[in-house]
Amino acid sequence: MVRNLLLAAAGITLLSLPLWGTAFMQRSVVEFLYFLTLAIAWNVMAGYAGLVSIGQQAFVGIGAYALVVFSEDLGINPFLTIPLAALVAVAAALPASWVLFRLRGAYFAVATWVVAEVFRLLVNASIDWLGGGRGRAVRGLMQFDRHLREDITYYVALGLAGLTLFGAIWLLRSGTGLGLMALRDSESGAESVGVKTKRTKRTVYLFAAAAAGAAGALIYIMQVNVRPDAAFSINWAAYVIFIVVIGGIGTIEGPIIGTLIFLVLREALSDLEGWSMLIFGIVAIAMMLFAPRGVWGLIADRWPGGGLFPIRRTMPERLKAKE
């Protein structure tokens, strides 16, 4: 009951925010929502399937450039390019997965970063078409009044984060989710009980790529100018890993808490420039040493069974009685 009331209150607050919130508050929530989208997608992949990628910036950049190509070169409404950006990211992730899934552990992680660098260099080299290192601006956004553009961006960000969140919950509650958790515990053990390991890993990898691609297009609708060094920056992956580690890896609630902490901490450290990344690293290491289940893990210890989004399966009562 309390859980449902909390979720309903959060939903009503978010849906009505453009009616009573300031422009700064609205932009801050959009930023929260696109980081949350990226964090949920990475968490499903790394926290449940054990696929630790440090190359998700590849799909953020692909999504950003899909926005440029579809809106500037093909004349499509910039907001309608967001689902197209997700499809382009999936199209790029599919062949990459055939190579990446031949590797495991640290080799897989390094290879994902190499794939992201390849995409960045390819975009950088396209001097005329994509603007090379100078990048390109999304001028199609100028057709919208500023307030209308911000309102549409807000609701698109809310829809994208909601779709990613409930998509992750649906995935984890399905048979694929069971396979993912078996994979995380032991890949050979999962194979021995019939889990199609490559198909399961590919499903979650493509899900994460689609979410990152759509988020990339959304981010650059906010920022307007797309440059390869920024769109394919490894900071996107670093921020998301920090968010999930701090919030609680392998939980649905962890990325929500982690995103809030990250944005508050980033604002508090904004005057320290380069030192802020060092402090982020120290905080993440301290959390891994002293609270490896993250902030949500500490809360769950005091509030057992009180998750906002229960995805755990419990044994039926008739089987418990037999046991």
Side-chain angles (χ1 to χ4, degrees):
M1 182 67 179
V2 174
R3 177 192 300 137
N4 292 338
L5 286 174
L6 283 173
L7 291 175
I12 292 170
T13 303
L14 287 171
L15 284 170
S16 62
L17 189 141
L19 301 176
W20 51 266
T22 64
F24 173 77
M25 189 183 297
Q26 199 168 317
R27 285 192 290 271
S28 300
V29 174
V30 170
E31 194 173 17
F32 167 81
L33 291 168
Y34 68 64
F35 271 117
L36 179 63
T37 300
L38 292 171
I40 290 171
W42 189 85
N43 185 42
V44 171
M45 188 171 57
Y48 288 95
L51 296 172
V52 180
S53 166
I54 55 174
Q56 287 306 94
Q57 67 274 19
F59 306 113
V60 174
I62 287 170
Y65 275 93
L67 164 71
V68 170
V69 172
F70 285 125
S71 66
E72 294 300 301
D73 297 340
L74 301 180
I76 298 174
N77 182 312
F79 293 101
L80 297 181
T81 67
I82 291 177
L84 298 175
L87 292 176
V88 173
V90 167
L94 191 57
S97 71
W98 293 103
V99 177
L100 293 173
F101 291 164
R102 295 177 180 275
L103 305 169
R104 294 186 181 183
Y107 296 104
F108 172 84
V110 172
T112 58
W113 173 76
V114 171
V115 168
E117 279 297 288
V118 168
F119 281 120
R120 185 182 68 81
L121 292 171
L122 285 174
V123 173
N124 238 329
S126 61
I127 301 298
D128 296 326
W129 182 36
L130 297 177
R134 301 184 308 277
R136 290 177 64 180
V138 188
R139 291 187 295 272
L141 291 166
M142 298 304 113
Q143 64 181 294
F144 298 96
D145 171 75
R146 185 169 66 86
H147 296 294
L148 176 63
R149 189 176 75 207
E150 290 185 349
D151 285 349
I152 296 174
T153 304
Y154 176 84
Y155 284 112
V156 168
L158 188 59
L160 178 60
L163 193 63
T164 307
L165 175 64
F166 289 104
I169 292 171
W170 175 80
L171 189 66
L172 293 171
R173 290 185 64 85
S174 68
T176 302
L178 280 177
L180 285 176
M181 287 178 252
L183 264 173
R184 178 184 58 186
D185 295 337
S186 168
E187 185 164 344
S188 57
E191 283 177 341
S192 70
V193 296
V195 175
K196 305 292 184 188
T197 54
K198 285 190 177 177
R199 187 175 67 185
T200 304
K201 287 194 289 188
R202 186 165 289 113
T203 299
V204 75
Y205 184 70
L206 297 182
F207 170 78
L218 175 66
I219 290 167
Y220 283 92
I221 280 177
M222 288 274 291
Q223 300 189 9
V224 180
N225 291 301
V226 184
R227 289 185 301 105
D229 287 343
F232 291 93
S233 169
I234 197 170
N235 282 349
W236 294 115
Y239 290 152
V240 166
I241 293 170
F242 175 85
I243 287 169
V244 175
V245 167
I246 292 294
I249 193 166
T251 65
I252 293 294
E253 295 83 358
I256 300 173
I257 295 173
T259 305
L260 286 170
I261 294 173
F262 165 72
L263 292 176
V264 170
L265 196 58
R266 194 189 64 173
E267 184 65 25
L269 301 175
S270 59
D271 293 335
L272 298 181
E273 297 180 355
W275 287 96
S276 62
M277 291 301 289
L278 178 63
I279 295 172
F280 279 134
I282 292 171
V283 172
I285 291 170
M287 186 60 76
M288 285 187 276
L289 287 174
F290 300 108
R293 294 169 58 216
V295 174
W296 179 252
L298 298 175
I299 295 172
D301 289 341
R302 293 179 176 275
W303 188 25
L308 290 173
F309 306 98
I311 57 168
R312 289 184 180 177
R313 294 168 187 268
T314 56
M315 188 180 293
E317 289 300 323
R318 58 188 173 79
L319 296 180
K320 285 183 181 176
K322 287 182 181 178
E323 188 181 28

